[in-house]
Amino acid sequence: MDRDEELLRGRVYGQDHDDPRPGPRPGRVYAELVGGPLDGLLLDVTDRAPEERAAGAALETELGRYGAGGRSLYDPRLGDPGRLDWSGGQP
């Protein structure tokens, strides 16, 4: 299976679990979240400016160390803008 096929099968961070189309949408750009509590989810980065993408992401999750209201931190992977690596959590 190639990377494009993998992305088409994934779930997108922030989409409702009951969404009849929980996967990626055509015309959007996604980065895969690698490691941590959101491992395997896709993050829609379509509308993020290059400097925002370079800064990584602090994503709300109830699954991390800090529970409800906590955030999981993801940093861009050097040489692979299609992946963000987990770097920890924050309250």
Side-chain angles (χ1 to χ4, degrees):
M1 175 181 335
D2 69 15
R3 176 143 168 77
D4 289 336
E5 270 186 69
E6 281 182 43
L7 287 175
L8 290 175
R9 292 178 179 211
R11 280 193 28 239
V12 177
Y13 170 83
Q15 283 185 337
D16 191 53
H17 293 299
D18 296 333
D19 189 326
R21 292 181 13 163
R25 301 232 168 32
R28 307 296 294 176
V29 177
Y30 297 92
E32 179 183 3
L33 301 174
V34 180
L38 302 175
D39 184 49
L41 293 180
L42 302 175
L43 179 66
D44 187 339
V45 296
T46 306
D47 299 324
R48 292 180 182 223
E51 55 275 2
E52 288 177 295
R53 288 188 194 187
L59 305 171
E60 290 183 23
T61 181
E62 295 180 6
L63 303 173
R65 164 190 266 173
Y66 298 101
R71 296 182 183 273
S72 286
L73 307 176
Y74 286 85
D75 295 326
R77 182 179 288 185
L78 289 176
D80 188 353
R83 290 196 167 93
L84 298 172
D85 293 314
W86 183 67
S87 61
Q90 70 182 32

